[in-house]
Amino acid sequence: MLRSSNPVLSRSDAFTPGGHAGGYSQYPSGPGQQGFGPQDPQPGSRDRGVMTFDDVVTKTGLMLGIVIIVAAAAFFFLPINLLMPATIGAALGTVVLTLIVAFRRAISPGMVFIFAIVEGVFVGGMSKIFESFYPGIVVQAVFATFVAAALTLAAYKFFNIRVTPKFTKVVVIATVAFAVVTLLNFVLSLVGVNGGAGLGLRAGVDGPVSLLAIGVSALAVVLAVLNLVLDFDYIERGIQMGAPANESWKAAFGLTVTLVWLYIEMLRIISYFRR
């Protein structure tokens, strides 16, 4: 079964060899084969179309565009007295919406737009908080995020990186574990408990810098980059297997989640070196 580290992308039958969601079959794999290839759709399935690279790029760009526009509005117009509550509320909202998508077989454009708006409020709030302590850090983090994503894509394509089941399993387990620890630290930070790893909202912005905090943040950046590798591989296989066109929304959703995570971690780790 084809899986991605993003929970958003891990439940789609359309990306599963032999799955029925898209009505596409898979050529059997043999020695040296990857187990996927161009598919001949069953009768009637062509009418629904198949996912293409252009679809994924367009929809990812649309989602990121909404996130950026809303983030900019929150950054410039959100009142100071509402900044922290709005950021915390949006952070919890993105977690809830991501879990909802993870347990749904189909994702609607409306849900995608709602998520992008909530994510934009979170990104804008976090950016404004960090920028108030470290002027210019937002530009640095945006640049670092695009460079990291571009280099990851280039390495994936030009070095022909092969994602093995063992590699995927390790990254998935590490990502889920990190997400659980981060969420627990975030909740504890709301009641004044600091775990020392820099994962709490306040500690991550202007708390004391420690080797543990730097190490945890560096691990988060590495995990985000590895998630991008898995996402690229997942989308490429889905396209080659002839997934239905509407699955490009889930692909775009997953990429947006990973890129936003990478950006937030870039904010955090850059702030450590500026303290």
Side-chain angles (χ1 to χ4, degrees):
M1 182 175 289
L2 202 58
R3 294 288 184 183
S4 168
S5 58
N6 264 323
V8 175
L9 302 178
S10 64
R11 293 177 56 85
S12 176
D13 291 339
F15 286 65
T16 303
H20 300 289
Y24 292 84
S25 61
Q26 180 193 17
Y27 292 129
S29 58
Q33 294 179 338
Q34 294 301 312
F36 59 87
Q39 306 302 316
D40 291 326
Q42 295 177 357
S45 61
R46 278 189 191 276
D47 295 338
R48 290 174 289 179
V50 296
M51 186 176 76
T52 66
F53 179 76
D54 288 342
D55 283 340
V56 176
V57 170
T58 300
K59 291 171 182 175
T60 301
L62 178 61
M63 282 197 67
L64 288 176
I66 295 174
V67 170
I68 292 171
I69 291 172
V70 176
F75 185 92
F76 290 108
F77 302 113
L78 194 63
I80 295 298
N81 60 325
L82 295 179
L83 180 59
M84 193 64 70
T87 303
I88 294 174
L92 296 177
T94 57
V95 172
V96 172
L97 288 172
T98 300
L99 291 176
I100 291 175
V101 172
F103 287 97
R104 288 175 63 93
R105 288 190 176 275
I107 178 173
S108 65
M111 182 176 295
V112 168
F113 295 146
I114 292 173
F115 173 84
I117 292 172
V118 176
E119 187 85 294
V121 174
F122 170 66
V123 171
M126 288 294 291
S127 298
K128 189 167 185 175
I129 292 171
F130 274 95
E131 186 74 15
S132 66
F133 284 93
Y134 314 100
I137 192 173
V138 170
V139 174
Q140 294 174 335
V142 169
F143 178 76
T145 300
F146 277 108
V147 169
L151 290 177
T152 302
L153 178 59
Y156 174 77
K157 295 300 293 183
F158 293 112
F159 292 99
N160 199 24
I161 295 176
R162 296 297 180 186
V163 177
T164 65
K166 183 176 181 180
F167 174 81
T168 302
K169 183 177 181 180
V170 170
V171 176
V172 169
I173 293 175
T175 301
V176 172
F178 186 86
V180 171
V181 172
T182 300
L183 184 60
L184 288 176
N185 273 268
F186 180 79
V187 173
L188 290 174
S189 71
L190 298 180
V191 295
V193 179
N194 181 15
L199 294 176
L201 183 58
R202 184 71 183 184
V205 176
D206 68 339
V209 179
S210 65
L211 290 178
L212 175 61
I214 294 175
V216 169
S217 191
L219 173 62
V221 171
V222 171
L223 282 176
V225 169
L226 293 179
N227 271 271
L228 278 179
V229 172
L230 293 184
D231 290 341
F232 294 151
D233 177 78
Y234 183 75
I235 292 169
E236 182 179 51
R237 288 174 181 248
I239 292 172
Q240 291 177 328
M241 290 168 62
N246 60 3
E247 290 298 321
S248 57
W249 281 115
K250 277 194 175 182
F253 193 107
L255 276 177
T256 301
V257 170
T258 304
L259 288 172
V260 168
W261 177 28
L262 180 60
Y263 168 72
I264 296 299
E265 295 304 334
M266 287 297 185
L267 278 176
R268 196 191 313 276
I269 198 169
I270 292 173
S271 74
Y272 290 149
F273 291 99
R274 291 191 54 177
R275 295 181 196 181

